[in-house]
Amino acid sequence: FDDLVSTCEAATVDALDVAVRRVHETAFLCNAARFDPTSMHLPVNGRVVLGDATDCALLRMAEHLCPLQPARRQYNTLLTVPFNLRRRWMLAVCTDRTKSAQSPFMVAKGAPETLLPKCTQVQIQNGEIVPMDHTRRSRIEEMQHRWAAQYGCRVLLLCRREYTESNPLSGVADSAELYAVACQNMCELCVVGLVGLVDPPRDEILDSVGKFRGAGIRVFMVTGDYAPTAAFVARQCGIITSTTVDGIDEINARVTVNKSEKRTDDIACRSTARSLLVSDSEHTLANRSSLVVSGPDLHGLGAVHWDIIALYDECVFARITPEQKLQVVEEMRGRKHIVAVTGDEVND
């Protein structure tokens, strides 16, 4: 990033290379964070930013690329659709005041696995827009996985949609109608960039998790992050310590073993599940039973699946919705576990 800033920093938006300008526009227009006006005299990294961590980081990046105060005067935001954990994207409809037509365009950011299927084009390094094909799509998916698994990055896809002919967003004055039209047209997007953000755990987390373990308390992570990102951070925090980590395939395999043994009695099934899992792990620090599952994996799971999940010493639930967070708590409580939930969001 430092190299990008040193080569691309510009006084005005128009002075940026076209590829960088599209990244810059998306990063600050599709953003709910704001600099505290009282800290604007400070260097960018020393300013106070009001907003969530992801938007704050993107805002700083955009300010490094080009000062935002003159850039904001160039654009008019007609609509903002905030990010939420269900749709996993944020959208803004904007116009460029310097263009005579002032045709509305859309900018969006969000989870790559959610936005990428909506993309039909991609921007390459020189700013040229080319069709999205299997090779380019696979490269983006591989990059997301590599950044997440190797560096613990929270990865966002930056997209936009411009109209050269008929524009369904033009002339729509009512905000509710514009919202409906914009959401209906969240397709045929163009990928303008992929951004990786690192949000390291606080220094005291590892010691805190160790104290919980010493008291015989299991610590589970429930997060909206991508599974490889969540697993990387969980290992940093000491929530995952095993060298081998199970996923939903291992859970399904154990359920299949139960069914193949034709254990129709519910109590017998639970006993079998427990013996299978305990045989794989001696419940020592060096060989704990660890599990990482994603929110989509939880759909359709039955009682026997949750019986097995509840036996793991170390669990990470990734890409979880607020409803699924409550589901995890209720499934554990339904198996006679005492559950406490803590966090920094309204759901906690």
Side-chain angles (χ1 to χ4, degrees):
F1 175 72
D2 289 337
D3 291 339
L4 177 68
V5 171
S6 64
T7 57
C8 297
E9 196 171 71
T12 65
V13 174
D14 291 336
L16 294 171
D17 292 339
V18 61
V20 179
R21 185 172 73 244
R22 292 189 183 117
V23 171
H24 177 265
E25 288 174 346
T26 307
F28 89 86
L29 290 173
C30 193
N31 197 313
R34 292 292 182 270
F35 285 114
D36 184 336
T38 63
S39 65
M40 288 301 292
H41 63 287
L42 298 173
V44 176
N45 289 338
R47 296 178 193 171
V48 176
V49 188
L50 309 175
D52 68 54
T54 298
D55 278 352
C56 290
L58 285 175
L59 195 70
R60 290 187 195 278
M61 181 192 77
E63 178 74 6
H64 274 296
L65 293 175
C66 176
L68 294 180
Q69 284 187 329
R72 288 193 188 281
R73 291 193 291 268
Q74 181 172 330
Y75 300 94
N76 181 36
T77 300
L78 306 178
L79 174 75
T80 299
V81 180
F83 176 91
N84 70 34
L85 287 172
R86 294 177 186 84
R87 55 177 169 256
R88 300 192 184 283
W89 49 259
M90 178 181 179
L91 166 70
V93 177
C94 307
T95 58
D96 185 341
R97 293 190 177 99
T98 64
K99 295 182 179 180
S100 57
Q102 293 195 27
S103 179
F105 63 94
M106 298 196 304
V107 287
K109 73 169 188 288
E113 64 267 33
T114 300
L115 286 181
L116 195 55
K118 303 177 185 294
C119 296
T120 57
Q121 296 177 314
V122 59
Q123 169 181 254
I124 58 177
Q125 190 172 5
N126 64 2
E128 181 184 357
I129 305 298
V130 299
M132 178 71 73
D133 58 20
H134 176 73
T135 300
R136 294 187 177 101
R137 191 180 303 275
S138 296
R139 184 182 178 191
I140 292 171
E141 292 170 341
E142 185 276 331
M143 191 175 297
Q144 177 196 12
H145 183 83
R146 178 162 50 87
W147 287 3
Q150 294 184 6
Y151 309 110
C153 287
R154 179 176 296 157
V155 183
L156 295 176
L157 200 67
L158 305 183
C159 308
R160 65 187 289 131
R161 183 174 183 182
E162 297 183 68
Y163 296 88
T164 55
E165 298 178 357
S166 176
N167 188 337
L169 304 172
S170 295
V172 182
D174 181 73
S175 58
E177 184 181 354
L178 184 59
Y179 171 88
V181 172
C183 290
Q184 289 170 3
N185 285 273
M186 272 290 288
C187 58
E188 300 182 25
L189 301 177
C190 174
V191 175
V192 299
L194 200 65
V195 178
L197 305 145
V198 177
D199 187 10
R202 297 198 301 267
D203 294 338
E204 64 268 23
I205 292 295
L206 190 63
D207 181 60
S208 298
V209 171
K211 289 178 179 177
F212 281 123
R213 289 205 190 283
I217 299 171
R218 290 184 293 170
V219 180
F220 292 178
M221 176 187 286
V222 184
T223 176
D225 279 336
Y226 182 53
T229 303
F232 185 96
V233 175
R235 199 172 288 282
Q236 287 183 308
C237 296
I239 293 172
I240 286 182
T241 59
S242 301
T243 54
T244 302
V245 179
D246 287 351
I248 193 62
D249 290 342
E250 285 73 22
I251 298 297
N252 288 331
R254 290 189 171 104
V255 172
T256 300
V257 169
N258 288 348
K259 290 180 179 179
S260 68
E261 293 181 353
K262 299 180 180 180
R263 302 290 183 127
T264 57
D265 180 81
D266 184 59
I267 296 176
C269 282
R270 296 187 185 202
S271 177
T272 301
R274 181 176 294 276
S275 65
L276 282 167
L277 186 58
V278 172
S279 66
D280 287 345
S281 171
E282 296 302 322
H283 293 269
T284 63
L285 183 61
N287 191 27
R288 289 186 182 276
S289 53
S290 302
L291 175 71
V292 176
V293 291
S294 291
D297 298 332
L298 302 184
H299 295 298
L301 296 189
V304 68
H305 295 85
W306 282 102
D307 289 339
I308 296 171
I309 291 172
L311 295 170
Y312 278 85
D313 286 335
E314 304 173 344
C315 285
V316 172
F317 298 91
R319 285 295 193 234
I320 293 293
T321 65
E323 293 84 0
Q324 288 175 325
K325 186 177 289 189
L326 180 60
Q327 181 188 12
V328 171
V329 172
E330 290 179 339
E331 293 288 354
M332 296 301 163
R333 291 181 64 190
R335 286 157 180 79
K336 309 302 181 184
H337 296 294
I338 298 172
V339 182
V341 181
T342 184
D344 60 358
E345 296 183 2
V346 66
N347 304 308
D348 306 313

